Amino acid sequence: MTKELAKVYVPADTEKLVSERWAESGAFHAEPTTDDSVPSYSVVIPPPNVTAALHLGHALNNTLQDVLVRYHRMRGFNTLWMPGTDHAGIATQTVVEKRLLQQGTKRLEMGREAFIEKTQEWKDEYEETILGQLTEMGASCDYDRVRFTMDDMCATAVRHAFYILFRDGLIYRGKRLVNWDPATGTALSDDEVEMEDVAGHMWYLRYPLEDGSGHVTVATTRPETMLGDTAVAINPDDPRAAELRGKNVRLPIVGRIIPIIEDDYVVLPDPESSDAKAQMSSGCLKVTPAHDPNDWDIGLRHDLEVINVMAADASISDQYGWDDASDEAQQFLGLGRYEAREALVAWFESNNLLEKVVDYSHSVGHSYRSHVPIEPWLSDQWYVAASDDRLAGSALRAQSPEQATTRSAEHQPGDTNGDGELRFVPDRYAKTFQQWHEGIRDWCISRQLWWGHQIPVWSSTVVDASGRHPNEAINNALALVEPGAAATVQSRWTAAGAVHTVRRLTDDEFVESICVPPQSTLNHEPRDDDSMDEAALVAALEADGFVRDPDVLDTWFSSALWPMSTMGWPYPEDFPETTGNGTDLLSTFNPTSLLSTAREIITLWVSRMVMFNRYFLDGQLPYTDVFIHAMVQDGHGQKMSKSLGNGVDPRDIIYSHGADAMRFTLVQMTTDTQDVRMPVDMVCPHTGEAFTPEFITTSAGHHVAAPEQTSPSDPTKTMVSAYGVAAGVAQPSDDTPLARNTSAKFDGGRNFSNKVWNAVRFAVSRLDDSMGSSEPVNPGATHFVDQWILSRLATTIATLEEAVASYQFNVYADTLYDFIWRDLCDRYLEAIKPTIDEDGAQQAVLGAVLDASLRLMHPVCPFITETLWPHVSDARCGEIAGLELPASELLATAAWPVIDSSMSNDAVIGDFDRAYRLITEIRTLRAKQNVKPKQRITVHAPAPVLELIAASGGLVETLSGVGEVADSAGDLPAISSPVAFEGSQVFLSGLSDEVNLDDERARLEAVIEQKSKQIAGFNGKLSNDGYVNGAPAHLVQETRDMLAAAVADLDAAQASLDGLG
RNA sequence: GGGCCAUUAGCUCAGCUGGCUAGAGCGCUGCCUUCACACGGCAGAGGUCACUGGUUCAAGUCCAGUAUGGCCCA
């Protein structure tokens, strides 16, 4: 097995082989169990969108999850990491439509079925890419269980969840203002709207009073909506209010007579105010309930008419609820919203009703997908009653009492399953979660898309001139609910297993809606004899004139079920792959242990998973811990994003540095701040050299790599940047290929890997099986440095365990780095070189420490450690008593080291540190005097230092090139250099033939100056009575000791200086 | 407008509950092609911890404010 190791670690040579070994062995596969003695550890991956390949942000998040997952697997947990992808409704549909457009087709031309097929192809392509990337990164997911938010298992869960919420009255249909994206023709949730500052104008329009007594001036940024105005509002505190009270306005163009109302939402004009709104206000507000959310609210308060003057593409139209369009208004019909704006402003100007126009910069909602301004638009949509206490209230009650700042009065933590158990790390994010739920609005879940879970509701409209529904039972049911609300009724459909509701649309129109559950629900829910299966039910409904809602669900609806749907909820027995050992995944692994995600996901996803998991599973949380990781920014402090093209493909980093180097660096960067900066370089595809690209500033003010770049060493060769491709201004070709990215940030990780590689290479060359003993080595009987490295191993293991428990990832990486590089390589390996070949016990220690080091490092750097594992396992020679390192074929499934706490010996560590300070003093002097490494020197020291040197068992001699140790009380050679160490004079001789006395004096004077400063500092502290009396006694004593040591060092240096003459 | 984060060595960042004689990596300087590693070793230079106040025996760390940059939400 053991082959010669190359001099340099080349990740590409081994990473793929290692991945294959993991896959073949089933190392990452988890099965459900009822065995309580084996604790579970589970994580569901935040399913990446199938819109595009993963970027560095995903790499960061998945690395952190993998560290935790691998660690717990090694600790003996039954560990499941559930992988999968998200269909990402609108995002995917948009990219597919874009691709189709490039190919000259359109979605509407090809039809729903063909389009979904195309999208499915896209999904398959990117799912493969994403899973490939996860594998390349070393993510130890259970790849036997890859889920997709639209696969059968997830679709069943979505259908069931919808059915339950519908049945329980938590899903309703409502006519509301939605955030309408006129470009993609769909409603967006509030979270899908991005606010952007826009340099616009404030137009001041004059509306004549009906009685001819003058006019009022309204200020608006959106004059095109005036056609739908149904009131003018004024603040009741406005001095003009009394005069205008009860009057009406004749709306220009339309001629509509609309009231002047009083509402304190209206901002009082104040030219002196620092608030731009008050500066700009005319005091009169045009109220357009159908086209502005605030006006909608005013409309509700004042019972105003709602007149929608726009079509779905945001053009002016009288087909959607506007029935008093005058002759004058006809000219504006059909105009787009911005054409209409111009035309209307021109009309007001030419009719002398435009008072003024002022530049005004304000914030406008834009579609996160199409980037066009959203249009508040009145339409029928499905809502989840997220504001219901059963959802938002439940989410708030889930919060850990230590993290929640307010709690509902009636609630006592712990009185319901899951209450008070949700914890955020870092804890500041609990506030984001809380504030979101305290101000939550009902969640619009319907999307006018094709790609997604189609809403499982069939509807039929009944018209009856009598104003009564023909069915008496339905009339009775309707009488019991508020007008416009849905009433649940019993019918042949409910007898067949569906939920049947009815709602009054207008005076003589009713809509009946039937929610059909999935077949598995029909199988499990008790029903009477009229039951039908799903297909028969749907066929009967359609035969009866019911039509299925064409809309699909918001992507987050299916994501919200992810920790349940991936595990077979609601009926795992219907999906045999989720069962086993007499139980199922859901019972074994939900609640999951942790969710790791980015902070903008707290509202979009974390919130909804908590609400749903709790609602559907009797208060049970989807997870107890939420870790919010930092945002990866580019070198200019800009968020990495697809649209900016400043994102980095992890495969580029794996290509330039290796997966472990990438992972190690990402882990090391993960502190609890919220941003990490990643300056990105480009790699010239022609020459392979890394270089800093030329940057340009976009019109939006972003710093991005110029679309085209020139090879740094060959000006005739060019290449294309990722930004160029993302912005669509550059296309890669054979001559101008797309350049990969890299970053010098990852050098540290690469160097670390190489260091470990070589440490193992050294060790296996020195370890000799025949030296081993069958009896475990007693650590107390080993060499000083062996005891020391075992002590350091013990404290390192403890620190790593604490770091994981507290999600301090950078501490994990730094602790590993320190132990392996500094302690193991720089000190231990150097120290044992003279003795290792002959010392069997030391060989056992070296083998064991390397074995343990690979285990400790494995969660962060799985590839190199797995590659080295058989080499170290083979080379081991002997066990160490008190250190458990059970053999394992694969490192990925090996046990985490267990070390006896007695292994950590403070006295040994203390002596080592003292000896090492002496070593450093000697080395410094050697360096100053330019002594060759091979030259042995003599140390002349007083008794206490001689004891230390002896106790350290050759450490000082080996690490500082000392050939001989003598007592300084004896005769000193003519040429010797003094060093102040622990308050005594230590002399070194044999450094060189002659010593420059001036240099010596300068060196000693520098020591004296430094010590004098320290002494002054200590004296200052100790002469402060407040300190001496107020500070803890041990600190005061420590200061006294340091003062004494500094004084002794100064005296020794002074004596040496005097000795030089 | 509300919330959050950052400001520490030339650069990128640690420094958790106040005790620091302020650390690391890169870069820089000098020496070393020493039989694991030049993706290396040894040594060194480099910081009034953004600013102004305050609390405290003690402030990089806590509090208030200011400035600059960034993110999220409205």
Side-chain angles (χ1 to χ4, degrees):
Chain A
M1 174 81 229
T2 310
K3 257 176 42 189
E4 278 283 296
L5 293 170
K7 192 174 171 184
V8 173
Y9 173 55
V10 182
D13 290 349
T14 58
E15 286 179 356
K16 194 149 192 284
L17 295 171
V18 168
S19 283
E20 284 165 8
R21 287 182 62 209
W22 289 331
E24 285 159 14
S25 68
F28 308 146
H29 184 66
E31 282 292 332
T33 179
T34 49
D35 183 353
D36 288 341
S37 68
V38 183
S40 297
Y41 189 84
S42 58
V43 176
V44 288
I45 201 168
N49 291 350
V50 290
T51 44
L54 304 183
H55 54 70
L56 224 44
H58 295 106
L60 170 65
N61 191 21
N62 288 306
T63 296
L64 301 180
Q65 288 170 73
D66 196 47
V67 169
L68 295 168
V69 163
R70 285 183 185 268
Y71 170 82
H72 285 95
R73 190 180 289 119
M74 294 179 80
R75 290 291 299 262
F77 287 75
N78 183 23
T79 303
L80 169 67
W81 187 8
M82 180 72 77
T85 54
D86 195 309
H87 68 279
I90 188 169
T92 310
Q93 177 155 334
T94 308
V95 293
V96 173
E97 284 192 72
K98 227 183 229 171
R99 181 190 266 188
L100 288 175
L101 218 54
Q102 284 166 359
Q103 295 167 354
T105 346
K106 282 187 180 164
R107 167 170 69 99
L108 291 167
E109 284 166 12
M110 60 196 302
R112 187 164 186 151
E113 217 167 290
F115 178 78
I116 287 174
E117 207 172 293
K118 271 273 172 239
T119 313
Q120 193 76 33
E121 282 171 23
W122 174 284
K123 171 251 159 186
D124 290 342
E125 181 186 335
Y126 277 94
E127 181 181 58
E128 199 187 328
T129 301
I130 288 165
L131 292 173
Q133 286 179 301
L134 287 172
T135 306
E136 279 187 58
M137 287 181 228
S140 64
C141 303
D142 186 348
Y143 292 102
D144 297 340
R145 301 192 185 279
V146 176
R147 300 256 66 85
F148 172 56
T149 51
M150 270 171 68
D151 65 18
D152 268 356
M153 202 187 288
C154 293
T156 303
V158 165
R159 288 281 304 278
H160 184 78
F162 190 99
Y163 160 77
I164 297 291
L165 293 170
F166 192 90
R167 184 196 69 190
D168 296 351
L170 288 170
I171 283 183
Y172 64 90
R173 186 106 171 124
K175 206 178 234 333
R176 294 290 175 84
L177 277 193
V178 296
N179 304 303
W180 186 257
D181 177 346
T184 59
T186 185
L188 301 176
S189 70
D190 294 339
D191 318 285
E192 290 166 326
V193 177
E194 292 172 348
M195 303 308 288
E196 286 175 31
D197 277 338
V198 170
H201 304 279
M202 187 67 88
W203 284 275
Y204 293 80
L205 309 179
R206 289 183 180 144
Y207 286 6
L209 292 167
E210 185 192 17
D211 60 13
S213 62
H215 65 264
V216 293
T217 302
V218 297
T220 179
T221 57
R222 307 197 49 212
E224 65 277 16
T225 63
M226 61 78 53
L227 299 168
D229 286 0
T230 55
V232 168
I234 183 167
N235 191 302
D237 295 335
D238 193 302
R240 292 169 296 174
E243 183 192 331
L244 292 169
R245 190 165 296 143
K247 292 196 174 180
N248 289 321
V249 158
R250 183 184 299 278
L251 189 64
I253 302 175
V254 184
R256 189 181 303 142
I257 304 300
I258 58 176
I260 292 175
I261 58 170
E262 291 170 56
D263 195 293
D264 55 18
Y265 170 77
V266 181
V267 178
L268 288 167
D270 179 2
E272 305 303 314
S273 170
S274 59
D275 179 12
K277 276 195 177 136
Q279 284 172 29
M280 304 303 278
S281 173
S282 70
C284 291
L285 180 75
K286 62 189 272 308
V287 182
T288 325
H291 295 283
D292 183 284
N294 296 313
D295 293 7
W296 170 265
D297 290 340
I298 295 173
L300 285 182
R301 288 198 285 273
H302 298 272
D303 202 18
L304 298 178
E305 225 184 320
V306 179
I307 298 174
N308 178 17
V309 298
M310 280 185 190
D313 62 356
S315 64
I316 303 298
S317 169
D318 60 356
Q319 302 298 303
Y320 296 83
W322 179 18
D323 50 21
D324 63 354
S326 61
D327 292 345
E328 186 73 42
Q330 297 297 320
Q331 57 180 305
F332 301 104
L333 296 180
L335 295 182
R337 50 183 166 165
Y338 299 113
E339 295 170 316
R341 178 180 294 179
E342 273 182 43
L344 280 159
V345 170
W347 187 93
F348 272 86
E349 193 167 15
S350 61
N351 286 274
N352 204 25
L353 290 174
L354 180 66
E355 191 167 296
K356 60 176 175 174
V357 184
V358 178
D359 286 344
Y360 181 55
S361 172
H362 61 123
S363 174
V364 175
H366 286 66
S367 163
Y368 89 112
R369 207 28 66 191
S370 67
H371 301 291
V372 305
I374 63 117
E375 193 63 48
W377 199 57
L378 193 65
S379 65
D380 272 319
Q381 303 291 338
W382 291 102
Y383 287 84
V384 166
S387 57
D388 192 286
D389 183 69
R390 288 170 287 176
L391 296 175
S394 173
L396 283 168
R397 288 188 289 275
Q399 286 203 277
S400 152
E402 296 82 50
Q403 294 191 337
T405 58
T406 58
R407 304 193 66 79
S408 55
E410 71 275 18
H411 169 64
Q412 292 300 313
D415 62 8
T416 304
N417 188 14
D419 274 1
E421 290 173 12
L422 184 69
R423 195 167 71 96
F424 283 85
V425 181
D427 59 8
R428 69 181 108 96
Y429 293 110
K431 199 170 175 181
T432 307
F433 181 89
Q434 181 179 321
Q435 288 175 347
W436 164 255
H437 289 95
E438 286 170 349
I440 201 167
R441 295 202 281 170
D442 284 353
W443 171 20
C444 174
I445 50 168
S446 41
R447 295 289 182 277
Q448 291 64 50
L449 301 171
W450 287 350
W451 179 243
H453 295 279
Q454 192 173 354
I455 288 169
V457 174
W458 279 254
S459 299
S460 167
T461 304
V462 175
V463 181
D464 196 301
S466 74
R468 293 177 63 78
H469 193 282
N471 181 315
E472 202 45 41
I474 287 179
N475 277 314
N476 293 340
L478 277 173
L480 296 175
V481 299
E482 286 184 24
T488 307
V489 295
Q490 297 302 313
S491 68
R492 56 182 280 231
W493 309 117
T494 59
V499 180
H500 186 164
T501 67
V502 65
R503 188 164 64 97
R504 182 187 291 275
L505 280 183
T506 64
D507 287 346
D508 56 0
E509 265 185 307
F510 305 86
V511 61
E512 292 183 54
S513 296
I514 316 289
C515 174
V516 178
Q519 184 62 45
S520 70
T521 304
L522 289 169
N523 294 343
H524 288 86
E525 297 256 309
R527 289 177 294 152
D528 57 31
D529 295 344
D530 298 327
S531 62
M532 290 187 229
D533 67 21
E534 187 192 347
L537 185 46
V538 168
L541 277 168
E542 292 182 350
D544 232 37
F546 284 84
V547 176
R548 185 170 189 177
D549 194 303
D551 290 357
V552 301
L553 289 167
D554 178 10
T555 294
W556 296 106
F557 190 95
S558 52
S559 318
L561 296 163
W562 190 243
M564 303 157 66
S565 61
T566 53
M567 298 190 189
W569 180 83
Y571 303 112
E573 58 268 41
D574 289 353
F575 294 96
E577 65 267 42
T578 67
T579 63
N581 300 320
T583 183
D584 54 71
L585 293 178
L586 198 63
S587 312
T588 309
F589 293 115
N590 185 305
T592 63
S593 310
L594 162 86
L595 180 81
S596 173
T597 191
R599 67 181 171 285
E600 73 267 20
I601 304 300
I602 294 170
T603 53
L604 289 168
W605 192 38
V606 177
S607 149
R608 286 152 186 178
M609 278 191 278
V610 170
M611 291 193 288
F612 275 11
N613 213 98
R614 296 205 76 191
Y615 188 70
F616 294 117
L617 288 180
D618 190 27
Q620 187 164 302
L621 288 171
Y623 28 73
T624 48
D625 289 14
V626 180
F627 180 74
I628 304 295
H629 63 72
M631 173 99 58
V632 183
Q633 298 177 339
D634 67 12
H636 305 282
Q638 307 167 123
K639 179 180 169 179
M640 281 193 182
S641 76
K642 237 169 289 167
S643 51
L644 253 186
N646 60 351
V648 174
D649 189 328
R651 288 171 298 188
D652 283 4
I653 305 301
I654 293 171
Y655 183 81
S656 63
H657 287 80
D660 289 327
M662 178 180 78
R663 292 168 59 111
F664 183 84
T665 303
L666 291 173
V667 170
Q668 203 176 26
M669 280 168 40
T670 299
T671 64
D672 82 349
T673 56
Q674 50 183 24
D675 309 306
V676 292
R677 223 171 255 211
M678 175 72 64
V680 176
D681 287 339
M682 281 170 71
V683 181
C684 174
H686 306 285
T687 64
E689 61 198 315
F691 66 101
T692 305
E694 198 184 303
F695 289 101
I696 57 168
T697 305
T698 66
S699 54
H702 295 116
H703 298 280
V704 292
E708 239 185 60
Q709 302 276 337
T710 305
S711 175
S713 59
D714 184 350
T716 64
K717 301 238 168 82
T718 57
M719 70 205 82
V720 170
S721 72
Y723 166 75
V725 175
V729 293
Q731 281 295 318
S733 68
D734 288 349
D735 289 342
T736 56
L738 174 65
R740 286 180 187 270
N741 289 117
T742 188
S743 173
K745 269 257 182 186
F746 296 100
D747 290 355
R750 182 199 56 198
N751 298 352
F752 183 52
S753 297
N754 194 54
K755 191 74 183 174
V756 171
W757 181 264
N758 276 289
V760 170
R761 198 160 75 95
F762 165 77
V764 298
S765 74
R766 295 297 193 96
L767 291 177
D768 177 0
D769 265 349
S770 65
M771 301 284 296
S773 132
S774 55
E775 285 297 304
V777 170
N778 171 15
T782 59
H783 200 281
F784 176 77
V785 284
D786 297 322
Q787 293 189 45
W788 173 75
I789 195 71
L790 289 168
S791 289
R792 287 290 302 123
L793 177 65
T795 55
T796 298
I797 292 173
T799 306
L800 293 177
E801 288 172 358
E802 279 171 35
V804 172
S806 54
Y807 299 105
Q808 290 182 285
F809 291 94
N810 64 314
V811 171
Y812 196 107
D814 290 340
T815 301
L816 267 184
Y817 188 94
D818 266 0
F819 176 69
I820 292 180
W821 201 311
R822 300 272 85 92
D823 292 339
L824 182 60
C825 295
D826 291 349
R827 291 161 195 167
Y828 183 71
L829 292 185
E830 292 305 325
I832 63 172
K833 278 178 179 173
T835 51
I836 185 69
D837 290 339
E838 307 301 330
D839 185 341
Q842 190 160 70
Q843 295 223 347
V845 172
L846 172 59
V849 170
L850 273 175
D851 173 306
S853 299
L854 291 186
R855 294 180 202 242
L856 301 180
M857 191 177 161
H858 182 76
V860 183
C861 300
F863 290 101
I864 187 170
T865 51
E866 191 72 78
T867 304
L868 292 172
W869 180 246
H871 297 272
V872 170
S873 293
D874 288 359
R876 288 285 306 274
C877 37
E879 301 292 322
I880 308 299
L883 176 55
E884 291 173 39
L885 301 167
S888 169
E889 179 76 22
L890 275 179
L891 177 53
T893 49
W896 182 256
V898 176
I899 193 163
D900 197 309
S901 58
S902 68
M903 199 78 79
S904 179
N905 184 333
D906 289 345
V908 169
I909 294 214
D911 278 351
F912 185 95
D913 290 345
R914 286 178 61 211
Y916 208 78
R917 275 195 293 275
L918 177 59
I919 290 165
T920 305
E921 290 292 347
I922 298 172
R923 283 170 162 182
T924 303
L925 191 64
R926 289 180 65 120
K928 288 220 164 99
Q929 298 201 11
N930 253 322
V931 180
K932 297 290 174 217
K934 279 182 180 160
Q935 188 167 335
R936 301 295 90 167
I937 61 168
T938 303
V939 176
H940 308 264
V945 180
L946 291 178
E947 279 167 34
L948 175 66
I949 294 172
S952 70
L955 179 75
V956 173
E957 292 91 322
T958 306
L959 294 191
S960 55
V962 168
E964 215 179 310
V965 179
D967 193 329
S968 58
D971 289 337
L972 287 175
I975 298 173
S976 65
S977 297
V979 173
F981 175 71
E982 294 188 349
S984 62
Q985 291 188 74
V986 172
F987 295 90
L988 306 179
S989 67
L991 296 159
S992 53
D993 296 341
E994 53 182 304
V995 171
N996 182 330
L997 287 180
D998 288 341
D999 287 352
E1000 289 287 274
R1001 278 191 206 98
R1003 181 171 62 81
L1004 289 165
E1005 276 158 5
V1007 171
I1008 288 166
E1009 195 194 333
Q1010 188 211 357
K1011 293 292 170 188
S1012 304
K1013 267 191 199 160
Q1014 284 180 14
I1015 290 165
F1018 295 140
N1019 276 329
K1021 266 191 175 180
L1022 289 170
S1023 62
N1024 177 351
D1025 286 346
Y1027 176 69
V1028 176
N1029 300 322
H1034 75 273
L1035 280 171
V1036 177
Q1037 189 54 47
E1038 205 173 87
T1039 307
R1040 292 203 167 108
D1041 293 346
M1042 286 195 289
L1043 173 64
V1047 168
D1049 282 344
L1050 181 125
D1051 290 348
Q1054 187 62 52
S1056 301
L1057 187 62
D1058 294 346
L1060 290 176

